[in-house]
Amino acid sequence: MSLCVLISARAEGQPGGFTSPGSKAEAGAKISIERPWMNKALSAPRRADLLLKMMTLDEKLTMVHGAAPCLEVWTPRCPLGIEGYVGYVPGNARLGIPALRLADGRAAVGNGAHDITLFPAPIAAASGWDVDIMNAFGRALGREQWMKGTNVALGPTIDVMRVPNWGRTFESYGEDPYFNRKMAVAEIRGIQSEGPIADANMYLTMNQESARFVEDSRVDERTLQEIYLPPFAAAVREGHVGTLMCAYVKTNGVYSCENQYLLMDVLRNQLGFDGWVMSDWGATHSTVASANHGLDQEMPAGEFFGDKLKKAIADGDVSIEVLDSHVRNILVPMFRQGLFDKAQTGTWKGNARSAEHDLLSRRIAEQGTVLLKNEEGILPLSAALSVAVIGKSGTVAPKVEGGGSSGANAPYVVSPLDGIRARAASGASVTSADGSDPAEAARVAAGADVAVVFAETEETEGADRPGLELPGNQDALIEAVAAANKRTIVVLNTGGPVLMPWVDRVLGVVEAWYPGQEDGNALAAILCGDVDPSAKLPVTFPRTATAIPTSLKEQWPGVDGRSIYSEGLNVGYRWYDKTETQPLFPFGFGLSYTSFRISRLVAAKGAAGRVMLKVDVKNTGKRAGAEVVQVYVAHPAANEEPPHQLRAFAKVELQPGETKTAAMTIDRQSFSIFDAATHQWVHRGGTYELLVGTSSRDLPLKSSLTLR
Ligand code: BGC
């Protein structure tokens, strides 16, 4: 008899063929000589040009700012009768231009919407290290947005986590530019495949919430290009994202939404972006500088791009060609995404939920839960007869989502206590304590075979975490439980890294992030071993509050409004490796209930400067599982790069005893650097090392290649 009731092989696989809504192209779109831009056979830029020619000045101006239908940002009251959407641009009946309806959506449709699915936070989805999971996440979000009538989905957030205290860590993917790039492309493609235009947030150097409306990120160009730009570059070039949101902060003294270098030199000229840049809500600070330096659309209203822009055009401070370019940048993705051609019947009050999405939410949570410590075989819980579930997040108030524009109305939440009870065999005992009284919690823990204690952080947009400790009395609670029961497991519901002063006194640690509505079901599946944990950390967990890349006040939260990016390229694990600092749990790390062996690394030069790589992965354990093979590149010393950097990964599912060969490709850019002297990417060549393994600190296989 064990705690977890035996179940016959549960259908893992995909949660039941998640299909496209089949948003059918409107059959009857009239192609008339008056509206030649409705001809679907023409390219999006051509259609935009044809339409633009017919627009009056006022019609153009209407498109370059929101109409602020609602009075509050995240849970809007909407006196214009345009309900829900946090942004709205009126349509144009004369010319047949559809209205734009914008809604937040990082883990669910936000802005107070009901009848939606609450998925796990993006960092949880990313922890699966599986672009297919991330794509399914994007498709589900895109579909629910579309069903709510949204045609511009605000998300994903793709900034690289620079500061572990960043209040929006949960909302993005992690600390590595290559990793974020892969996840961003998968999610954007998913969202846009279901109807809405996706909006990549927040361009650029939006790496802290402290003083976010005025903060000035002082960062050198090489670091900007090599660390912070790649996810956005990929969103544009590989994800074909329709819109980008410029950020609140300044970069090198200039606000993002009027930053010529970022918006024109990089985005338009270097990356060739042909969609539009909208401002974050209230991130526009000027009319002429913003219009002339590349901001296309002010949100949520027209403080600078309404009457003031009209006057600036009349005064000759902004040319009509500049205005035209902004309108064109908005129209091109609208045409490309089919907004002129597709009927969209969904409404804000309509239902977007489905049983498929409930299952998908659970699957993403299961795939994103990282097993950090598992000693004496405490997990899975097969040997336990009784378990004590302790802590607020495990019992009375599960912490399932982060705050701010990511916040959403969960249709239901399965608590860990309920999830574990539902999985417990009859006769097994499940007791609980909410943790408000550590002595009572210790008493309950002492009476069970195993104690599972939950701890959480409160993370939200608008505020960084002042420290990396668990807030309140949670460390003391964990210590009290661990003292009462040697067989203690800690489950973390955090949005980013936390310190674990008690780690040596517990046998198990599980990072479940903010897991969404299926919290308890997903967690019980992991604890009971129905699902093998296969997630990996996309961020480093430090040992102490000062052993982090941004420990100086001038780095974060900054001094006199400036944050100095003095760590340069050494962001995340790069810094730990460079300074030989031992992390608590390294980037890329995560355990499984089975074991793997990787061997036989073969690397060869491919076409167009690429490197092709193969490595065998064997499941050496007794149950099915999945391993993430990670490839890091070490540059020749002359390139002065961080010690090694992630450049490829593959998730491999294996039956016991099975071996598969993982094939990966490293692109040429991975061997290039940004040359600050000439302001361009250069490929200097030399001898590069490829390091392959299963975390940034466990790289047993090596191969060298000399590239020109
Ligand atoms: C956030 C954005 C969000 C917008 C609208 C801003 O405060 O930074 O990410 O999309 O509000 O809610």
Side-chain angles (χ1 to χ4, degrees):
M1 164 72 125
S2 79
L3 175 87
C4 305
V5 71
L6 267 181
I7 49 170
S8 53
R10 186 161 74 77
E12 273 196 33
Q14 285 296 334
F18 180 73
T19 51
S20 138
S23 39
K24 296 184 192 85
E26 200 184 349
K30 290 196 196 81
I31 305 169
S32 69
I33 38 170
E34 297 85 35
R35 289 187 176 178
W37 56 87
M38 291 308 293
N39 182 353
K40 286 189 252 174
L42 300 176
S43 70
R46 178 83 186 114
R47 292 174 75 179
D49 286 337
L50 289 167
L51 173 53
L52 194 56
K53 272 193 211 146
M54 302 300 291
M55 294 176 77
T56 65
L57 177 65
D58 284 336
E59 285 171 338
K60 291 174 185 171
L61 285 167
T62 300
M63 292 208 70
V64 296
H65 63 84
C70 300
L71 294 180
E72 282 151 23
V73 178
W74 295 317
T75 45
R77 286 182 296 120
C78 309
L80 295 189
I82 311 293
E83 239 181 307
Y85 311 102
V86 73
Y88 180 73
V89 179
N92 181 324
R94 184 179 83 84
L95 300 169
I97 305 175
L100 292 177
R101 291 175 299 276
L102 294 70
D104 279 305
R106 306 312 188 285
V109 182
N111 309 135
H114 289 278
D115 301 315
I116 50 93
T117 308
L118 179 63
F119 294 96
I123 196 167
S127 295
W129 287 60
D130 183 338
V131 288
D132 293 335
I133 284 275
M134 188 50 85
N135 183 256
F137 178 68
R139 288 197 325 260
L141 287 171
R143 174 155 194 192
E144 294 207 6
Q145 290 279 21
W146 191 252
M147 291 174 83
K148 286 289 185 183
T150 307
N151 53 16
V152 182
L154 301 179
T157 297
I158 65 177
D159 299 271
V160 167
M161 186 200 79
R162 168 180 181 250
V163 182
N165 311 63
W166 185 35
R168 294 179 91 159
T169 297
F170 71 91
E171 191 183 310
S172 189
Y173 307 126
E175 69 187 25
D176 180 78
Y178 175 82
F179 183 79
N180 280 25
R181 163 185 155 191
K182 287 289 171 199
M183 293 300 155
V185 170
E187 187 174 351
I188 289 165
R189 286 186 180 158
I191 292 171
Q192 295 198 153
S193 72
E194 295 293 333
I197 293 172
D199 167 55
N201 282 242
M202 288 145 312
Y203 186 76
L204 196 62
T205 72
M206 187 69 216
N207 302 123
Q208 64 179 62
E209 297 301 289
S210 306
R212 69 173 175 163
F213 298 123
V214 293
E215 186 265 321
D216 181 11
S217 305
R218 308 301 293 203
V219 53
D220 66 89
E221 190 181 14
R222 178 172 178 182
T223 300
L224 196 89
Q225 289 271 350
E226 293 191 17
I227 300 290
Y228 299 104
L229 188 62
F232 290 91
V236 168
R237 290 173 164 164
E238 301 166 49
H240 307 292
V241 74
T243 172
L244 246 72
M245 185 182 284
C246 52
Y248 287 126
V249 296
K250 295 176 195 156
T251 302
N252 295 326
V254 184
Y255 277 114
S256 303
C257 297
E258 57 187 50
N259 194 312
Q260 159 114 14
Y261 172 76
L262 290 180
L263 301 181
M264 300 304 292
D265 302 354
V266 175
L267 200 50
R268 299 286 166 197
N269 300 337
Q270 181 182 330
L271 303 180
F273 182 52
D274 69 354
W276 88 92
V277 176
M278 75 171 77
S279 74
D280 201 340
W281 270 231
T284 311
H285 293 272
S286 63
T287 299
V288 177
S290 299
N292 287 341
H293 294 167
L295 176 66
D296 298 303
Q297 190 178 57
E298 180 189 1
M299 279 293 165
E303 185 187 345
F304 294 100
F305 274 22
D307 292 344
K308 288 183 190 162
L309 182 55
K310 193 171 184 176
K311 181 166 183 311
I313 291 169
D315 293 347
D317 294 331
V318 175
S319 69
I320 200 75
E321 288 73 28
V322 164
L323 177 65
D324 282 356
S325 72
H326 296 319
V327 177
R328 191 176 189 279
N329 290 339
I330 299 167
L331 290 174
V332 167
M334 287 178 72
F335 277 115
R336 188 171 287 142
Q337 191 62 22
L339 298 193
F340 283 78
D341 309 321
K342 283 188 279 200
Q344 189 178 8
T345 50
T347 62
W348 191 250
K349 285 264 163 77
N351 176 50
R353 290 188 56 205
S354 63
E356 275 166 44
H357 283 189
D358 291 347
L359 262 181
L360 180 64
S361 185
R362 183 192 303 188
R363 180 166 156 77
I364 295 169
E366 291 167 353
Q367 297 300 313
T369 300
V370 193
L371 179 60
L372 293 175
K373 179 169 181 177
N374 187 16
E375 283 181 5
E376 298 181 19
I378 192 163
L379 285 169
L381 287 174
S382 41
L385 285 178
S386 60
V387 64
V389 179
I390 291 165
K392 193 160 65 108
S393 191
T395 55
V396 290
K399 177 68 189 157
V400 295
E401 62 171 330
S405 55
S406 294
N409 292 317
Y412 62 85
V413 171
V414 180
S415 74
L417 180 59
D418 286 346
I420 291 168
R421 278 202 175 124
R423 271 297 280 110
S426 64
S429 143
V430 182
T431 52
S432 70
D434 68 11
S436 52
D437 174 359
E440 157 73 359
R443 197 186 55 73
V444 174
D449 289 344
V450 171
V452 185
V453 53
F454 289 76
E456 67 183 79
T457 55
E458 242 342 300
E459 285 166 53
T460 181
E461 174 185 341
D464 288 329
R465 281 189 289 151
L468 297 176
E469 306 77 20
L470 286 167
N473 71 348
Q474 297 183 97
D475 283 334
L477 174 67
I478 294 169
E479 297 280 9
V481 170
N485 189 330
K486 279 206 197 83
R487 298 185 67 76
T488 289
I489 298 162
V490 176
V491 176
L492 296 167
N493 289 124
T494 73
V498 286
L499 303 178
M500 305 184 201
W502 32 258
V503 72
D504 294 335
R505 288 179 290 286
V506 300
L507 292 183
V509 180
V510 175
E511 175 56 86
W513 311 110
Y514 297 153
Q517 66 188 35
E518 283 283 322
D519 181 5
N521 286 335
L523 187 75
I526 293 282
L527 295 183
C528 287
D530 310 337
V531 172
D532 184 60
S534 62
K536 306 276 178 182
L537 291 179
V539 290
T540 305
F541 277 49
R543 280 189 180 273
T544 69
T546 48
I548 60 169
T550 49
S551 62
L552 302 176
K553 204 166 170 243
E554 60 167 41
Q555 293 176 291
W556 174 85
V559 175
D560 297 332
R562 288 179 171 195
S563 297
I564 314 293
Y565 285 40
S566 51
E567 72 287 352
L569 300 175
N570 293 309
V571 171
Y573 63 87
R574 291 161 169 78
W575 179 87
Y576 291 83
D577 296 338
K578 177 86 182 171
T579 59
E580 295 180 0
T581 303
Q582 197 56 35
L584 180 60
F585 295 111
F587 175 85
F589 176 77
L591 300 168
S592 154
Y593 294 149
T594 183
S595 52
F596 303 94
R597 190 172 57 238
I598 59 166
S599 62
R600 284 171 31 110
L601 167 65
V602 184
K605 293 179 211 174
R610 288 193 288 268
V611 167
M612 324 299 285
L613 217 126
K614 281 185 180 162
V615 61
D616 284 355
V617 194
K618 179 171 188 186
N619 182 344
T620 52
K622 292 197 174 61
R623 53 172 295 161
E627 180 60 294
V628 179
V629 187
Q630 303 165 34
V631 181
Y632 295 77
V633 170
H635 277 243
N639 280 354
E640 298 184 329
E641 286 285 300
H644 57 257
Q645 309 183 72
L646 182 73
R647 293 301 183 207
F649 61 89
K651 190 157 191 172
V652 189
E653 285 182 25
L654 295 160
Q655 294 302 315
E658 192 185 10
T659 301
K660 280 185 189 162
T661 302
M664 287 164 279
T665 303
I666 310 179
D667 60 15
R668 183 179 159 88
Q669 175 130 350
S670 299
F671 305 104
S672 306
I673 62 168
F674 188 84
D675 180 26
T678 57
H679 306 285
Q680 58 187 353
W681 283 86
V682 293
H683 189 78
R684 296 217 179 100
T687 300
Y688 293 79
E689 259 197 296
L690 308 178
L691 309 162
V692 181
T694 56
S695 90
S696 63
R697 284 289 171 115
D698 180 15
L699 299 168
L701 304 182
K702 290 187 179 51
S703 173
S704 294
L705 275 183
T706 300
L707 303 174
R708 268 188 280 161

